[in-house]
Amino acid sequence: MGISMPEQCMYWRRWLCLSFFMILFTPSLFAQDWLEVSDEAQALFPRATRMKASQDAMPITDIYQLDQTIGYLFETDDLTDFPGFSGDSINLRVGLDVQGRIVGLVLVRHHEPIFLHGLGEAPLYEFIAQYQGLSLKQQVLVGSDQARIASGDLAYFDGVTKATVSVMVVHDTILAAARKVAQARLHGFGSSAKATLNMHQFTPRSFDVLRNERALFRWQLSDDEAAEQLSVNTGRLLAARDARDENTPFIDLSIALLNPPSVGKNLLGDEEYQRIMQSLAPGEVALLVGSRGGYSFVADDFVAGTTPARFSLRQQGSPLALRDADLYHAQSPVFAEQIAVLMPAFDDVKILTFSDQSGFDPSLPLSFGMTVQLKKNFLESEYVLIDTEYRLPDNVLVPVEPPKPPIPLWQRIWNDRLIEIAILSVYLALLTGVFVFQHRLAGFGRYLTPVRLTALLFVIGFIGFYAQGQLSVVNIYTLLLSLWKGFDITVFLLDPILFVLWSYVFISLFLWGRGLYCGWLCPFGAMQELVAAVAEKYRLRQWKISDGLHQTLITVKYGVLMVLVSMAFYQLSLAETLAEIEPFKTAVTLVFDRAWPFVLYAVLLLALSARVHKAYCRYMCPLGAGLAVLGRLRRFSWLTRREECGQPCRLCEKHCGIHAIQKTGQIDYNECVQCLACLAIVSDEHRCVANKYGKNRKSRRATNTLDEGVVVTVSPHDFSKK
């Protein structure tokens, strides 16, 4: 028997109340991984279409254009701690692209008195703006009055007069934080340190032992050797010499990293070593550099407290930001007594510092460089870099236990979402069972309404709001672009729910066509169907769409699909913008928490479905069009049809809200959402006209047969007896 009207109303109330309960009282319903691009991220990454919080311990936001990472957004306070002149750090929001280039910076907070109560903040903003576009492979010289070298590896930034401390803190903060991000996310910028400096062990060492162990490194190049490495004649090289003794080598540098006591205390003596270490900020590394050659590591116009233009320090190709600590402005260098008698007499000696927060790894080789100015003529000069490699001795290092190989990000995400994947898999298994055994289950058609309501609520609540499993046309042209440029399945594995859904939908297209997804898995489609159900309950009549207009309108979605896919190959960012024709992001991903034009658009589409059943699905959805194209390859047409369907019976056609049953009784599987309502009608002997007609015809045939049998068995003799 069918369900009476009061019973149907009872089902409607029960399941609609359940839907509101799920939405209002399930806080985790709105949990999501993908985030809408914030205004802060959009300002630094105009091409961004979505973003995601880092899945590891790094406090970074990964920025995406579709499924492609285009950069990283972070705040420096989360990665560094350089106290400014005020004693507090200067916090900046920084955008770093995948080439290791700073794409933008925003000053979030500072308390520097010189800018707040003196110069004003404009000079600080102007200084920070210079870092936009800087590659982390470049060495930065701040506020240097030295001759500016025309080189792509060097960047000269103007400082701020009277605010040297503050701007250098900004400088160190930006580069240290950015390099940490680059090391964690990008190739070619180093990795986590494999060793640290041994700051606890002290062993007395003589001058010769320090030299033999290369704890005190001496770099010497004669004029001829330097000319050969620089590929110039010796005459040009001699012209580059400073006003020094011509009997000295062209380069003669003595270099020592002072922090390990076995080096610094042996070189300087205990008292001087303590003075130097106490003058350093936390995390600073001190480098002693002394020069007595024909070409000094500092020029005559060098300003104390700045970065030397001639001398550089790199590790794995990336510069470590050096700065003069200016520790010898009030007193001359002091060395340990047993060392002083053997140390060469330096023309220039300074202590340069850099931060260990800049990604310094003591276990890796260091590259010391000297930039030599060679005159071309009286007006022009060229600058050529000459360098040498240096490695710290093992006895001043403490090995760091290598971390276990990290689990790939996609595996960690799958592990974190196992429960969601399991719940989704159970639903998909049940759904598969319903479709495979639909003919056997058709006899239970009276349960279709509650089952369908349960499925719609599950799709909206769990698959849509909670698991963020709303498929999109964006996924289609992301896949096409991936196949075009080189397929990488890892990109698609990063969202397990979408991966499981797409895998299932792809297989189902060859069995049942587009209907399984559009009718049983699409959250926005489920929303439209619930709206139509509520409209029907309150007797809000549907608008009649003529067959001609319907056939014209269903082609619109294919045109939209072609435009979007074509645009994706031309300009991806524009294709993503045009994909906003889908209301999915507004209604499902962001649960209507978005700018009002987007919300209004989504609400109007839902309101329209009260008058035109699933209007968006039928006439506008490019995702449905894409699925329908592939769904044409389906192997089966499972829905039961009878020869009476269409003529004389048209009951299924009139009950098909999606208008997928033709007047001939045939089903247009490209439009059908396989709600199974027609199957329930055909299988119901009380509702299907063909069943009633066939039953009545069979009854009349049996009666006629019985009457004919009686006539045959009655004889004239019997009549005569009567």
Coordinates of all heavy atoms in Angstrom, one line a residue, residues 259-307:
N259 N 82.2 31.9 18.4 CA 81.3 31.4 19.4 C 81.7 30.2 20.2 O 81.6 30.2 21.4 CB 79.9 31.2 18.8 CG 79.2 32.5 18.3 OD1 79.8 33.2 17.5 ND2 78.0 32.8 18.8
P260 N 82.2 29.1 19.5 CA 82.6 28.0 20.3 C 83.8 28.3 21.2 O 84.8 28.9 20.7 CB 83.1 26.9 19.2 CG 82.3 27.4 18.0 CD 82.2 28.9 18.0
P261 N 83.7 28.0 22.5 CA 84.8 28.4 23.4 C 86.2 27.9 23.0 O 87.2 28.5 23.2 CB 84.4 27.8 24.7 CG 82.9 27.7 24.6 CD 82.6 27.4 23.2
S262 N 86.2 26.7 22.4 CA 87.5 26.1 21.9 C 88.1 27.0 20.8 O 89.3 26.8 20.6 CB 87.2 24.7 21.4 OG 86.8 23.8 22.5
V263 N 87.4 27.8 20.2 CA 87.9 28.7 19.2 C 88.1 30.1 19.8 O 89.2 30.7 19.9 CB 87.1 28.8 17.9 CG1 87.7 29.8 16.9 CG2 87.0 27.4 17.3
G264 N 87.0 30.7 20.2 CA 87.0 32.1 20.7 C 87.8 32.3 21.9 O 88.5 33.3 22.0
K265 N 87.7 31.5 22.9 CA 88.4 31.7 24.2 C 89.9 31.5 24.0 O 90.7 32.2 24.6 CB 87.9 30.8 25.2 CG 88.4 31.1 26.7 CD 87.8 30.2 27.7 CE 86.3 30.5 27.9 NZ 85.7 29.7 29.0
N266 N 90.3 30.5 23.1 CA 91.7 30.3 22.9 C 92.3 31.5 22.1 O 93.5 31.8 22.3 CB 91.9 29.0 22.1 CG 91.9 27.8 23.0 OD1 92.5 27.8 24.0 ND2 91.1 26.8 22.6
L267 N 91.5 32.1 21.2 CA 92.0 33.2 20.4 C 92.1 34.5 21.2 O 93.0 35.3 21.1 CB 91.2 33.4 19.1 CG 91.4 32.5 17.9 CD1 90.4 32.8 16.8 CD2 92.8 32.7 17.4
L268 N 91.0 34.8 21.9 CA 90.8 36.1 22.5 C 91.2 36.2 24.0 O 91.4 37.3 24.5 CB 89.4 36.6 22.4 CG 88.8 36.6 21.0 CD1 87.3 36.9 21.0 CD2 89.6 37.5 20.1
G269 N 91.3 35.0 24.7 CA 91.5 35.0 26.1 C 90.1 35.1 26.8 O 89.1 35.5 26.2
D270 N 90.0 34.7 28.0 CA 88.7 34.5 28.7 C 88.0 35.9 28.8 O 86.8 36.0 28.5 CB 88.9 33.9 30.1 CG 87.6 33.6 30.7 OD1 86.9 32.7 30.3 OD2 87.3 34.3 31.7
E271 N 88.7 36.9 29.2 CA 88.0 38.2 29.5 C 87.4 38.8 28.2 O 86.3 39.2 28.2 CB 89.0 39.1 30.2 CG 88.3 40.5 30.5 CD 89.3 41.4 31.3 OE1 90.4 40.9 31.7 OE2 89.0 42.6 31.4
E272 N 88.2 38.8 27.1 CA 87.8 39.4 25.9 C 86.7 38.6 25.3 O 85.7 39.1 24.7 CB 89.0 39.6 24.9 CG 88.6 40.1 23.5 CD 88.2 41.6 23.6 OE1 88.2 42.2 24.7 OE2 87.9 42.1 22.5
Y273 N 86.8 37.2 25.4 CA 85.8 36.4 24.9 C 84.5 36.6 25.5 O 83.4 36.7 24.8 CB 86.2 34.9 25.1 CG 85.2 33.9 24.7 CD1 84.9 33.6 23.3 CD2 84.4 33.2 25.6 CE1 84.0 32.7 23.0 CE2 83.4 32.3 25.3 CZ 83.2 32.0 23.9 OH 82.2 31.1 23.6
Q274 N 84.5 36.8 26.8 CA 83.2 37.1 27.6 C 82.6 38.4 27.1 O 81.4 38.6 27.0 CB 83.5 37.1 29.1 CG 83.8 35.7 29.6 CD 82.8 34.6 29.4 OE1 81.6 34.9 29.3 NE2 83.2 33.4 29.2
R275 N 83.5 39.4 26.9 CA 83.0 40.7 26.5 C 82.3 40.6 25.1 O 81.2 41.2 24.9 CB 84.2 41.7 26.4 CG 83.7 43.1 25.9 CD 84.9 44.1 25.8 NE 85.6 43.9 24.5 CZ 85.3 44.6 23.4 NH1 84.3 45.5 23.5 NH2 85.9 44.4 22.3
I276 N 82.9 39.9 24.2 CA 82.4 39.7 22.9 C 81.0 39.0 22.9 O 80.0 39.4 22.3 CB 83.3 39.0 21.9 CG1 84.7 39.8 21.8 CG2 82.7 38.7 20.6 CD1 84.5 41.1 21.1
M277 N 81.0 37.9 23.7 CA 79.8 37.1 23.7 C 78.6 37.8 24.4 O 77.5 37.7 24.0 CB 80.0 35.8 24.5 CG 81.0 34.8 23.8 SD 80.3 34.2 22.2 CE 81.4 35.1 21.0
Q278 N 78.9 38.6 25.4 CA 77.9 39.4 26.1 C 77.4 40.5 25.2 O 76.2 41.0 25.4 CB 78.4 40.0 27.4 CG 78.7 38.9 28.4 CD 79.4 39.4 29.7 OE1 79.6 40.6 29.8 NE2 79.8 38.5 30.6
S279 N 78.1 40.9 24.2 CA 77.7 42.0 23.4 C 76.7 41.5 22.3 O 76.1 42.3 21.6 CB 78.9 42.7 22.7 OG 79.5 41.9 21.8
L280 N 76.7 40.2 22.1 CA 75.9 39.6 21.0 C 74.4 39.5 21.4 O 74.2 39.2 22.6 CB 76.4 38.3 20.6 CG 77.9 38.2 20.1 CD1 78.3 36.8 19.7 CD2 78.1 39.1 18.9
A281 N 73.5 39.7 20.5 CA 72.1 39.4 20.8 C 71.9 37.9 20.7 O 72.7 37.1 20.2 CB 71.3 40.1 19.7
P282 N 70.9 37.4 21.4 CA 70.6 36.0 21.4 C 70.5 35.4 19.9 O 69.9 36.0 19.1 CB 69.2 35.8 22.1 CG 69.2 37.0 22.9 CD 69.9 38.1 22.2
G283 N 71.3 34.3 19.7 CA 71.2 33.7 18.4 C 72.2 34.3 17.4 O 72.3 33.9 16.2
E284 N 73.0 35.3 17.8 CA 74.0 35.9 16.9 C 75.3 35.1 16.9 O 75.7 34.6 17.9 CB 74.3 37.4 17.3 CG 73.3 38.4 16.7 CD 73.8 39.8 16.8 OE1 74.5 40.1 17.8 OE2 73.6 40.6 15.9
V285 N 75.9 35.0 15.7 CA 77.1 34.4 15.5 C 78.2 35.4 15.1 O 77.9 36.3 14.3 CB 77.0 33.3 14.4 CG1 78.4 32.6 14.2 CG2 75.9 32.3 14.7
A286 N 79.3 35.3 15.8 CA 80.4 36.3 15.6 C 81.5 35.7 14.7 O 82.0 34.6 15.0 CB 81.0 36.8 17.0
L287 N 81.9 36.5 13.7 CA 82.9 36.1 12.8 C 84.1 37.1 12.9 O 83.9 38.3 12.5 CB 82.3 36.0 11.4 CG 83.2 35.3 10.3 CD1 83.2 33.8 10.6 CD2 82.6 35.6 8.9
L288 N 85.2 36.7 13.3 CA 86.4 37.6 13.3 C 87.0 37.5 11.9 O 87.3 36.5 11.4 CB 87.4 37.1 14.3 CG 88.7 37.9 14.4 CD1 88.6 39.2 15.0 CD2 89.8 37.1 15.1
V289 N 87.3 38.7 11.3 CA 87.9 38.8 10.0 C 89.0 39.9 10.1 O 88.8 41.0 10.5 CB 86.9 39.3 8.9 CG1 87.6 39.3 7.6 CG2 85.7 38.4 8.9
G290 N 90.2 39.4 9.8 CA 91.4 40.3 9.8 C 92.0 40.3 8.4 O 92.1 39.3 7.8
S291 N 92.5 41.5 8.0 CA 93.1 41.6 6.6 C 94.4 42.3 6.7 O 94.6 43.3 7.4 CB 92.1 42.4 5.7 OG 92.7 42.6 4.5
R292 N 95.4 41.7 5.9 CA 96.7 42.4 5.8 C 97.2 42.4 4.4 O 98.3 42.6 4.1 CB 97.7 41.8 6.7 CG 97.9 40.3 6.5 CD 99.0 39.8 7.5 NE 100.3 40.5 7.3 CZ 101.2 40.1 6.5 NH1 101.0 39.1 5.7 NH2 102.4 40.7 6.5
G293 N 96.3 42.0 3.4 CA 96.7 41.9 2.0 C 96.6 43.2 1.3 O 96.3 44.3 1.8
G294 N 96.8 43.1 0.0 CA 96.8 44.3 -0.9 C 95.3 44.8 -1.2 O 95.1 45.9 -1.6
Y295 N 94.3 43.9 -0.9 CA 92.9 44.3 -1.1 C 92.2 43.9 0.1 O 91.9 42.8 0.4 CB 92.4 43.5 -2.4 CG 91.1 44.1 -2.9 CD1 91.1 45.3 -3.7 CD2 89.9 43.5 -2.6 CE1 89.9 45.8 -4.1 CE2 88.7 44.0 -3.1 CZ 88.7 45.2 -3.9 OH 87.5 45.7 -4.4
S296 N 91.8 44.9 0.9 CA 91.1 44.7 2.2 C 89.7 44.3 2.0 O 89.0 44.6 1.0 CB 91.2 46.0 3.0 OG 90.5 45.8 4.3
F297 N 89.1 43.6 3.0 CA 87.7 43.2 3.0 C 86.8 44.4 3.2 O 85.6 44.2 3.1 CB 87.5 42.1 3.9 CG 87.5 42.5 5.4 CD1 86.3 42.6 6.1 CD2 88.7 42.6 6.1 CE1 86.3 43.0 7.4 CE2 88.7 43.0 7.4 CZ 87.5 43.2 8.1
V298 N 87.3 45.5 3.7 CA 86.5 46.7 3.8 C 87.2 47.9 3.1 O 88.4 48.0 3.1 CB 86.3 47.1 5.3 CG1 85.4 46.1 6.0 CG2 87.6 47.2 6.0
A299 N 86.4 48.7 2.4 CA 86.9 49.8 1.6 C 87.2 51.0 2.5 O 86.8 51.0 3.7 CB 85.9 50.2 0.5
D300 N 87.8 51.9 2.0 CA 88.2 53.1 2.8 C 86.9 53.9 3.3 O 87.0 54.5 4.3 CB 89.1 54.1 2.0 CG 90.5 53.4 1.8 OD1 90.9 52.5 2.6 OD2 91.1 53.8 0.8
D301 N 85.9 53.8 2.5 CA 84.7 54.5 2.9 C 83.7 53.7 3.7 O 82.5 54.1 3.9 CB 83.9 55.1 1.6 CG 83.5 53.9 0.6 OD1 83.9 52.8 0.9 OD2 82.9 54.2 -0.4
F302 N 84.1 52.6 4.2 CA 83.3 51.7 5.0 C 82.8 52.4 6.3 O 83.6 53.1 6.9 CB 84.0 50.4 5.4 CG 83.2 49.5 6.3 CD1 82.2 48.8 5.8 CD2 83.5 49.4 7.6 CE1 81.4 47.9 6.6 CE2 82.8 48.6 8.5 CZ 81.8 47.8 8.0
V303 N 81.5 52.3 6.6 CA 81.0 52.9 7.8 C 80.7 51.8 8.8 O 80.1 50.8 8.6 CB 79.6 53.6 7.5 CG1 79.0 54.2 8.7 CG2 79.8 54.7 6.4
A304 N 81.3 52.1 10.0 CA 81.1 51.1 11.1 C 79.7 50.8 11.4 O 78.8 51.7 11.3 CB 81.8 51.6 12.4
G305 N 79.4 49.5 11.7 CA 78.0 49.1 12.0 C 77.2 48.7 10.8 O 76.0 48.3 10.9
T306 N 77.7 48.8 9.6 CA 77.0 48.5 8.4 C 77.5 47.1 7.8 O 78.4 46.5 8.4 CB 77.1 49.6 7.3 OG1 78.5 49.7 6.9 CG2 76.6 50.9 7.9
T307 N 77.1 46.8 6.6 CA 77.5 45.5 6.0 C 78.6 45.9 5.0 O 78.5 46.8 4.1 CB 76.3 44.9 5.2 OG1 75.3 44.6 6.2 CG2 76.7 43.6 4.5

